[in-house]
Amino acid sequence: VALGVPTLTVVSIPGHGLGTVADAARTGDAELVSTTVQNVLQVGFDAEVATTTADLRRLVDRVGGIDIGSEHFAGKRAVRYLTGEEEELEELEFLRWQEIVGGLLAALEDRPDALPGIIPEEALPMFVGAATSETDVVALPVQDVGAGLARPVTESISALVAERFVVAG
């Protein structure tokens, strides 16, 4: 499973108080974002990876492009599609993210050799293991709280983790 966390989800950011996942990401600290999400899920991660849209573009080009619906996207077009319109609804941005990740995982199934140099070596086994069209791309269960913000739905997250994650210990 690949789990997407909507960026406007309100969370407790260690050392920063309440904010959104986007606020944590704006710090540029991948470990802080990872810890924030781990706290929401109550599950530890083996590794965290921060990538840029330039990394995404390079990776999509390395795999020979990705399929979104009936269309084939090269890296530049995939990034344009992902970033969409500035005034676009958060929900649409997130759906685009899910499509891009699903397309990329399917393409990586045949091209895991595209990952080195973009994904750190310690995270390669995780990415290679997820690189298949069989990987489900799911969203963190959240509830709209208004003003474009969402809150995690604890009971649904617990059920998702129990059903879909391998938790050590």
Side-chain angles (χ1 to χ4, degrees):
V1 66
L3 178 69
V5 181
T7 58
L8 294 180
T9 302
V10 178
V11 292
S12 176
I13 304 169
H16 298 267
L18 283 180
T20 64
V21 173
D23 294 330
R26 274 193 281 279
T27 68
D29 184 346
E31 188 174 346
L32 177 64
V33 175
S34 177
T35 301
T36 300
V37 174
Q38 289 177 68
N39 289 343
V40 170
L41 294 175
Q42 296 295 295
V43 172
F45 296 163
D46 294 332
E48 61 273 333
V49 176
T51 59
T52 64
T53 53
D55 292 333
L56 175 64
R57 180 179 176 174
R58 251 184 29 226
L59 188 54
V60 170
D61 285 339
R62 279 189 186 180
V63 298
I66 60 174
D67 294 324
I68 304 295
S70 62
E71 298 185 59
H72 191 75
F73 289 19
K76 184 177 181 179
R77 184 168 179 210
V79 169
R80 269 198 326 256
Y81 179 73
L82 179 63
T83 55
E85 301 294 322
E86 285 187 33
E87 297 299 319
E88 189 170 57
L89 296 173
E90 171 77 11
E91 296 85 17
L92 293 177
E93 286 180 12
F94 193 74
L95 289 172
R96 288 174 184 241
W97 176 87
Q98 286 180 295
E99 290 176 318
I100 294 288
V101 170
L104 187 54
L105 290 173
L108 282 166
E109 186 170 13
D110 295 325
R111 292 292 316 274
D113 60 312
L115 291 165
I118 295 175
I119 302 302
E121 191 171 321
E122 66 273 8
L124 282 175
M126 176 180 59
F127 276 81
V128 170
T132 170
S133 58
E134 300 299 313
T135 297
D136 289 330
V137 183
V138 300
L140 181 78
V142 296
Q143 179 180 22
D144 183 12
V145 294
L149 300 174
R151 73 165 183 80
V153 179
T154 307
E155 310 79 36
S156 298
I157 292 170
S158 295
L160 173 72
V161 168
E163 179 184 332
R164 304 302 297 271
F165 284 69
V166 176
V167 181

